[in-house]
Structures are given as C-alpha cells and as structure tokens.
Amino acid sequence: MTTPALELDCRDLLCPLPVIELARHLAEIPVGATIAVVATDVAARVDVPAWCRMREQEYVGEDVADDGAPRYVVRRLS
C-alpha cells in the first residue's frame, strides 16, 4: 500500500470518534489521495468501510501501523 497523504491517530478513541475524525479531515487531502485511520477500537473495522459506502469514498483496505495497531485506508473520491 502507498503512503497515505494523511494519517490520523485515533488509537484511544472509541466508536464513533474515529469516523468523526475521518470526516473532519477528509477535505484536507486532495481527491485521489489516501487518508489512514489508526484505531484500536474493534468497531472501526466495521465503521470505516460502512462510512465509505455511505459517503461514496473508496475503502482501500486494512494494514498495520508501525506499532502494530490496525490502520484503515480510505481514498478520497470527491
């Protein structure tokens, strides 16, 4: 996976705060770029892809941050 244009550290945030942070920061990256949400809350695994479907953005997939925390990558489409 390519390096995201922006990575959000949401490790200590519980649902729904990681997707709220994603929504707040999406406009900071250009269309076509990716943003990563690093979140330890297990709900983020479902919430981020669901948010992408609702907001018509591309869910690229899941990988891991440097410390092993789950990282969810989204491509801005609009």
Side-chain angles (χ1 to χ4, degrees):
M1 225 174 273
T2 61
T3 302
L6 181 62
E7 182 171 289
L8 304 176
D9 182 358
C10 299
R11 284 174 179 85
D12 296 325
L13 303 181
L14 298 177
C15 173
L17 294 176
V19 290
I20 290 172
E21 287 300 301
L22 173 58
R24 278 186 52 221
H25 293 281
L26 187 68
E28 295 176 15
I29 65 166
V31 171
T34 57
I35 184 170
V37 179
V38 179
T40 52
D41 182 5
V42 296
R45 181 169 279 134
V46 174
D47 291 350
V48 173
W51 182 88
C52 289
R53 286 190 301 274
M54 289 187 303
R55 299 290 183 226
E56 298 181 344
Q57 304 302 321
E58 178 187 352
Y59 178 64
V60 176
E62 178 182 343
D63 63 6
V64 292
D66 291 340
D67 66 352
R71 185 170 83 156
Y72 308 95
V73 181
V74 175
R75 183 177 320 282
R76 182 177 177 196
L77 299 179
S78 59

